[in-house]
Amino acid sequence: MTDRFFEDEHRMFRDSVRKFVEREIVPHHSQWEKDGVVPRELWRTAGSHGFLCLQVPEAYGGVGLEDFRFNMIMIEELVRVGASGPGFTVHGDIVAPYLIHYGSEEQKKKYLPKMVSGDCIGAIAMTEPNTGSDLAAIKTSAVRSGNHYLLNGQKTFITNGLLNDLLIVVVKTDPQAGHEGISLFLLERGAEGYERSPKLEKLGMHAQDTCEAFFKDVKVPAENLLGQEGAGFFYLMQQLPQERLAVAVGAVMACEAALDVTVQYCKDRTAFGRPIGKFQHNRFKLAEMKTEIEIGRVFVNHCVLLHNEGELSAETAAMAKWWTSELQKRVMDTCLQLHGGYGYMKEYFIARSFIDSRVQTIYAGTTEIMKEIIGRGMGF
Ligand SMILES: Cc1cc2nc3c(=O)[nH]c(=O)nc-3n(C[C@H](O)[C@H](O)[C@H](O)COP(=O)(O)OP(=O)(O)OC[C@H]3O[C@@H](n4cnc5c(N)ncnc54)[C@H](O)[C@@H]3O)c2cc1C
């Protein structure tokens, strides 16, 4: 399926991404997990190879790829080796599109070339300590005062939280207007009154610098409003399907990688005089996983093609996100079980994949919220 899905230009691209990942990331990732962050230099190296922000048009220093199969390859090659530290997907597949689609000419010229080169790292702050799924209930506010806005509030769980130089902050500009009172702002590193917490201690993804942000009377120039005031919720709804598709792509790849190592383990490990994969129970587990992963792969590939045609609906993206991430949870658990005690040892790939995977059903919208979107789309 995957072989027919990609063309020669994708295979060449994958080859160079794989070489880059194996040379620049794999040997260092366990150290970065101890450091709790990946070095800024990695971003610049990735940028110099043209691996950041693939969608950015040439006019702003990018390569302007509109075929999501390239983005997919970037995601897959990182997930394949368990490189959960570099937040390239949030930067390139989630943050950059907001600028591309809603940014003013000045904003695009100012930020996009540096995002492509890795000199400006992007992040997005929607979630607050008291609200995540219910985005319309956010409290962080921006109040106009002359030629700037004053930002007050708090955000949490920000991916690329410490490294980012540019943060898209989701705020209320009109607290009475519900989701129609939501706007997006571009906030630069160093603004007075903008503080970050130390890195949050997570269950997994230890090389990813997730943190909180605090805003106290932060003066944001009016020209840093992204798009129209009050249109933020609409922009988020437009862009979230791509974010969810990216999660689904990673989920299927993580399943495939976990199954590969588990199949090998089940061939090598013996018990009661035979390879453990030869026991019917285990053989059936392996067969079930292979079947479900293949089904997930076909659906995700289909969604990528729909997205390329501009036809990926919010409901279909939600289906891909919840189903593949729940599959990932089951697959990781079964693969870990098949590894016996070794599955619980962090030096084993499956143990790290297991803990890194757990968040997949939570961020970018939980499984329950995905089902809400699908159910509402069915008229309920
Ligand atoms: C590692 C990590 C990285 C993240 N990165 C980012 C980031 O870069 N930027 C960002 O803005 N956010 C980020 N998030 C936040 C993430 O998107 C939220 O955690 C997620 O949307 C859920 O919100 P919440 O944590 O507030 O849970 P809540 O909304 O409080 O939900 C708690 C539980 O209630 C359930 N629930 C809520 N509403 C309903 C409903 N209507 N029906 C049924 N069940 C419901 C949820 O499904 C969940 O099980 C990240 C989170 C993590 C853990």
Side-chain angles (χ1 to χ4, degrees):
M1 172 67 198
T2 295
D3 277 353
R4 285 202 300 275
F5 179 74
F6 291 110
E7 293 163 27
D8 281 347
E9 53 182 344
H10 302 109
R11 291 188 196 98
M12 279 161 59
F13 181 70
R14 186 186 292 281
D15 197 42
S16 54
V17 176
R18 187 167 293 184
K19 285 189 181 124
F20 164 79
V21 169
E22 277 170 3
R23 189 180 60 243
E24 305 289 344
I25 295 179
V26 173
H28 312 293
H29 203 270
S30 58
Q31 181 57 46
W32 299 340
E33 290 187 11
K34 291 183 191 120
D35 301 341
V37 65
V38 304
R40 189 167 274 275
E41 205 40 47
L42 173 75
W43 288 79
R44 296 204 178 96
T45 313
S48 71
H49 285 78
F51 293 151
L52 299 178
C53 303
L54 304 179
Q55 281 168 268
V56 171
E58 283 177 29
Y60 308 106
V63 279
L65 289 173
E66 294 194 355
D67 177 354
F68 198 74
R69 285 176 290 180
F70 290 101
N71 310 50
M72 183 178 188
I73 289 167
M74 278 304 300
I75 298 166
E76 288 182 343
E77 289 305 308
L78 291 168
V79 171
R80 195 178 65 79
V81 296
S84 55
F88 296 164
T89 300
V90 167
H91 172 78
D93 299 335
I94 298 172
V95 175
Y98 283 97
L99 278 149
I100 296 170
H101 292 115
Y102 315 116
S104 66
E105 196 52 29
E106 291 70 33
Q107 289 168 344
K108 291 183 197 184
K109 279 191 185 136
K110 185 172 180 191
Y111 299 114
L112 287 175
K114 287 188 188 165
M115 289 181 72
V116 171
S117 67
D119 290 305
C120 173
I121 298 175
I124 182 160
M126 299 178 243
T127 309
E128 299 184 355
N130 290 320
T131 191
S133 304
D134 185 6
L135 208 54
I138 57 163
K139 291 274 186 289
T140 298
S141 63
V143 176
R144 180 108 196 197
S145 166
N147 58 1
H148 60 262
Y149 286 79
L150 278 183
L151 238 74
N152 280 287
Q154 184 179 345
K155 295 285 179 183
T156 191
F157 305 148
I158 305 166
T159 300
N160 297 338
L162 294 178
L163 281 174
N164 79 77
D165 308 289
L166 182 67
L167 182 65
I168 297 181
V169 192
V170 181
V171 303
K172 277 274 173 73
T173 35
D174 182 353
Q176 313 309 326
H179 64 266
E180 286 173 3
I182 290 181
S183 306
L184 310 185
F185 279 90
L186 298 170
L187 183 60
E188 292 185 17
R189 168 182 290 283
E192 206 181 325
Y194 165 27
E195 305 286 340
R196 307 169 204 223
S197 73
K199 189 185 83 87
L200 296 170
E201 285 304 316
K202 301 189 296 300
L203 203 60
M205 299 178 71
H206 295 298
Q208 172 48 235
D209 54 309
T210 316
C211 77
E212 296 172 283
F214 310 94
F215 316 112
K216 192 165 184 314
D217 291 331
V218 182
K219 252 181 163 180
V220 185
E223 63 263 25
N224 282 28
L225 174 69
L226 187 62
Q228 301 294 314
E229 187 174 316
F233 196 80
F234 170 76
Y235 299 154
L236 292 166
M237 294 308 113
Q238 291 289 306
Q239 296 307 313
L240 280 166
Q242 174 158 310
E243 177 170 349
R244 290 169 183 156
L245 179 61
V247 172
V249 164
V252 170
M253 183 70 242
C255 290
E256 289 173 349
L259 184 62
D260 276 354
V261 298
T262 305
V263 166
Q264 194 55 51
Y265 189 82
C266 289
K267 287 179 179 164
D268 296 342
R269 179 76 175 174
T270 56
F272 300 96
R274 58 176 122 157
I276 57 168
K278 290 271 188 189
F279 295 108
Q280 191 188 48
H281 171 84
N282 296 344
R283 198 162 59 227
F284 279 16
K285 285 285 170 203
L286 291 162
E288 284 165 13
M289 287 194 289
K290 190 168 173 57
T291 308
E292 284 194 282
I293 296 168
E294 193 68 26
I295 291 167
R297 163 60 66 197
V298 171
F299 185 56
V300 164
N301 287 5
H302 165 71
C303 288
V304 168
L305 295 184
L306 282 180
H307 189 47
N308 279 353
E309 290 158 16
E311 299 289 333
L312 180 69
S313 67
E315 290 85 355
T316 308
M319 288 179 208
K321 201 271 173 184
W322 88 256
W323 196 84
T324 58
S325 60
E326 292 290 339
L327 171 69
Q328 184 178 359
K329 221 162 75 174
R330 292 197 301 279
V331 165
M332 293 304 151
D333 192 54
T334 307
C335 288
L336 190 150
Q337 184 73 16
L338 284 165
H339 277 74
Y342 291 103
Y344 203 63
M345 299 299 123
K346 267 174 79 179
E347 71 181 271
Y348 275 71
F349 179 79
I350 195 62
R352 297 194 301 277
S353 300
F354 178 84
I355 50 173
D356 285 351
S357 288
R358 186 60 189 86
V359 71
Q360 288 268 97
T361 61
I362 296 171
Y363 58 18
T366 64
T367 292
E368 294 73 26
I369 295 302
M370 295 304 98
K371 291 179 184 174
E372 277 293 318
I373 292 170
I374 300 160
R376 261 184 262 134
M378 295 166 74
F380 298 105

